Amino acid sequence: MSTTRNEAELQAMAKDHLWMHFTRQSTMEKSGVPIIVKGDGHHIWDAKGKQYFDGLAGLFVVNAGHGRRRLAETAARQASELAFFPLWSYAHPAAIELADRLADEAPGDLNRVFFSTGGGEAVETALKLAKHYWKLMGKPTKHKVISRSVAYHGTPHGALAITGIPAMKSMFEPVAPGGFRVPNTNFYRAAEMGAPADDEEAFGRWAADRIEEMILFEGADTVAAVFLEPVQNSGGCFPPPPGYFARVREICDRHDVLLVSDEVICAFGRLGHTFACTGLGYVPDMITCAKGMTSGYSPIGATIVSDRIYEPFSHGDMSFPHGYTFGGHPVSAAVALENLAIFDEEGLNQRVRENSPLFRAELEKLLDLPLVGDVRGDGYFFGIELVKDKGTKETFDDAESERLLRGFLSPALFEAGLYCRADDRGDPVIQLAPPLTIGQPEFREIEQILRDVLTRAQAVL
């Protein structure tokens, strides 16, 4: 029987034994770690009883909001009937029904669903499947993958070949070979890339053409796939310019290269559709997804695959020698189905589509502040880029960024009651991705907290 610990006891236990993810462990030594004990709607509470606005939906995850008893009860009900069984030569109803639901929602002929337990595993699956597919098609030299600068596609060793953030890879070198980078779609920094800076559509064509340039440079007979997020997360919410994905699809088709839509963040309502590629008007060869599928109430991921890629695996003695013990877990699959039922009943996708312009307008009010250079994004997914000089778009050096983001903004925003993300994997940004249940009053609340903290931030520079 578990015992309720007080905060001091929990802090001591964390300091002695807990290894935080993507976190400087030294911070626990100095000041402890925020301990979150409760969530309800778009709010969370810490062990001291203080309430915060969850402006990041956990980590782009809790799309339907915290405290959904219905999802917890679904998990308990499924666990009481069938707590676990693997998908290795066997199946269970929850995974079958969820695969059917996802295939029904996916565009085009993406009809086959391979389950995993999270986003990194879904990307790893897509990478291995692309390589295996081309070998079966008699093109064994097609093994290279292309992704965008500063893009994050996960931390499994294979997925690191696709991730475009050098600082996240250098300590693990050599990573899997064959990963190549092209420019991202940061229109705010177009001039610095030598790209068209006064015409967004021309910039989009330029950015897409860099993918073709890389395919031709490496040789189309060596390139297996292109991995792209609908809106690139790392670097601060880079939306696709008009026509970008249509051009990329055309390029991939011309050179017989697979297009993978990495929707680990962007699927399940984040951009106002079950799958973001549907709203953006393109049909990929694979979709990777996770996070919002269960709104975080139980872990799951999936790689959704076209009939074309599935076909060589569908007959004879052929199998895909890849899998995960907990992939398609019965409890997670049941929760996902119930979560998607909530999306249907409450119209969450439509809510995001209708309210996104209001959210953007509220955040764009911050452009009158000296620190705010750009506001960008889509759906309920926005980034606010911070600059030293608005006129020149000059950014901060490493020491200034450290002082601004980690020294002031992260603790100040949290103290002000807003959990969001201050990030500098690219240029310094604040990222927002709240639960999909919020509306205009909450947009104003977020803007007011950001305005206060960003106004005070100027004094630390």
Side-chain angles (χ1 to χ4, degrees):
M1 182 176 178
S2 65
T3 303
T4 302
R5 307 277 185 172
N6 62 39
E7 198 214 358
E9 291 172 321
L10 290 170
Q11 290 288 358
M13 292 166 70
K15 181 179 176 181
D16 288 345
H17 303 293
L18 182 63
W19 197 329
M20 308 283 284
H21 296 208
F22 292 100
T23 302
R24 296 176 182 179
Q25 288 296 111
S26 60
T27 59
M28 235 175 348
E29 296 291 329
K30 292 186 292 187
S31 56
V33 61
I35 299 173
I36 305 304
V37 299
K38 179 186 173 183
D40 186 43
H42 56 272
H43 289 114
I44 53 176
W45 283 261
D46 67 17
K48 295 183 174 71
K50 183 174 178 180
Q51 175 182 296
Y52 304 86
F53 192 120
D54 184 356
L56 203 61
L59 192 63
F60 316 104
V61 171
V62 191
N63 290 3
H66 295 275
R68 293 275 190 174
R69 184 175 296 275
R70 175 175 166 183
L71 296 182
E73 290 171 348
T74 295
R77 187 165 55 249
Q78 177 61 50
S80 69
E81 294 175 2
L82 180 65
F84 174 74
F85 212 79
L87 294 180
W88 296 37
S89 302
Y90 299 85
H92 52 78
I96 293 169
E97 292 175 25
L98 180 58
D100 181 76
R101 169 70 192 254
L102 295 177
D104 186 57
E105 296 264 6
D109 68 341
L110 278 79
N111 290 316
R112 302 292 174 166
V113 181
F114 191 102
F115 286 114
S116 54
T117 64
E121 289 180 357
V123 171
E124 189 86 358
T125 298
L127 172 60
K128 291 175 72 174
L129 184 54
K131 290 181 175 182
H132 193 171
Y133 169 78
W134 287 122
K135 286 179 171 58
L136 294 178
M137 299 305 291
K139 299 182 178 182
T141 60
K142 289 176 79 71
H143 69 279
K144 297 174 184 175
V145 290
I146 294 171
S147 60
R148 295 184 290 204
S149 174
V150 200
Y152 176 83
H153 293 281
T155 55
H157 208 65
L160 276 179
I162 309 169
T163 289
I165 308 169
M168 295 191 70
K169 301 162 66 156
S170 60
M171 64 290 294
F172 307 119
E173 295 285 0
V175 298
F180 296 89
R181 239 57 63 206
V182 295
N184 56 46
T185 58
N186 184 359
F187 186 53
Y188 184 65
R189 298 286 176 183
E192 298 170 25
M193 303 182 207
D198 55 358
D199 183 332
E200 199 169 359
E201 190 167 349
F203 169 68
R205 186 174 182 87
W206 174 90
D209 286 349
R210 301 289 72 75
I211 295 174
E212 183 168 44
E213 183 178 77
M214 182 63 77
I215 291 172
L216 293 173
F217 183 80
E218 290 299 321
D221 60 338
T222 72
V223 180
V226 174
F227 282 72
L228 303 174
E229 294 170 278
V231 172
Q232 181 174 320
N233 166 43
S234 183
C237 300
F238 304 142
Y244 174 79
F245 273 109
R247 176 68 172 159
V248 171
R249 179 72 271 182
E250 174 190 319
I251 289 166
C252 288
D253 289 343
R254 180 159 56 247
H255 298 292
D256 209 11
V257 171
L258 303 180
L259 175 57
V260 181
S261 188
D262 183 355
E263 305 201 12
V264 170
I265 287 175
C266 293
F268 306 111
R270 184 54 54 195
L271 300 189
H273 297 271
T274 299
F275 296 110
C277 56
T278 302
L280 293 171
Y282 68 97
V283 179
D285 298 291
M286 290 188 261
I287 295 172
T288 56
C289 56
K291 293 183 183 289
M293 195 189 313
T294 64
S295 287
Y297 285 73
S298 192
I300 198 168
T303 305
I304 308 173
V305 179
S306 69
D307 289 340
R308 168 196 173 191
I309 296 173
Y310 177 76
E311 196 280 331
F313 296 92
S314 66
H315 45 75
D317 61 358
M318 182 55 58
S319 67
F320 179 35
H322 172 76
Y324 301 99
T325 299
F326 295 113
H329 193 286
V331 173
S332 296
V335 171
L337 285 164
E338 196 69 16
N339 180 58
L340 295 176
I342 290 172
F343 270 62
D344 292 342
E345 293 165 19
E346 299 184 10
L348 293 184
N349 285 324
Q350 182 178 352
R351 179 184 185 86
V352 170
R353 294 196 299 271
E354 291 174 351
N355 284 336
S356 181
L358 303 176
F359 195 7
R360 179 190 298 274
E362 204 65 40
L363 294 176
E364 285 179 343
K365 293 177 182 178
L366 298 169
L367 288 167
D368 66 355
L369 297 177
L371 276 177
V372 177
D374 192 32
V375 173
R376 55 181 177 255
D378 195 6
Y380 274 23
F381 186 27
F382 287 96
I384 301 166
E385 182 167 338
L386 308 178
V387 293
K388 187 188 297 188
D389 186 300
K390 290 168 73 83
T392 65
K393 301 182 182 179
E394 181 185 1
T395 192
F396 300 95
D397 63 32
D398 290 344
E400 291 168 332
S401 184
E402 175 78 14
R403 189 163 67 249
L404 175 64
L405 295 183
R406 294 178 188 84
F408 179 77
L409 277 178
S410 290
L413 286 166
F414 198 62
E415 179 62 29
L418 177 62
Y419 166 65
C420 59
R421 188 178 197 175
D423 186 49
D424 63 351
R425 287 176 292 177
D427 296 310
V429 295
I430 294 173
Q431 288 177 298
L432 295 160
L436 312 184
T437 51
I438 71 168
Q440 186 67 54
E442 291 79 22
F443 302 154
R444 292 196 192 98
E445 183 181 351
I446 290 171
E447 190 275 339
Q448 288 165 6
I449 294 173
L450 287 170
R451 177 172 295 278
D452 170 63
V453 174
L454 288 171
T455 298
R456 290 189 282 121
Q458 195 69 39
V460 309
L461 296 170

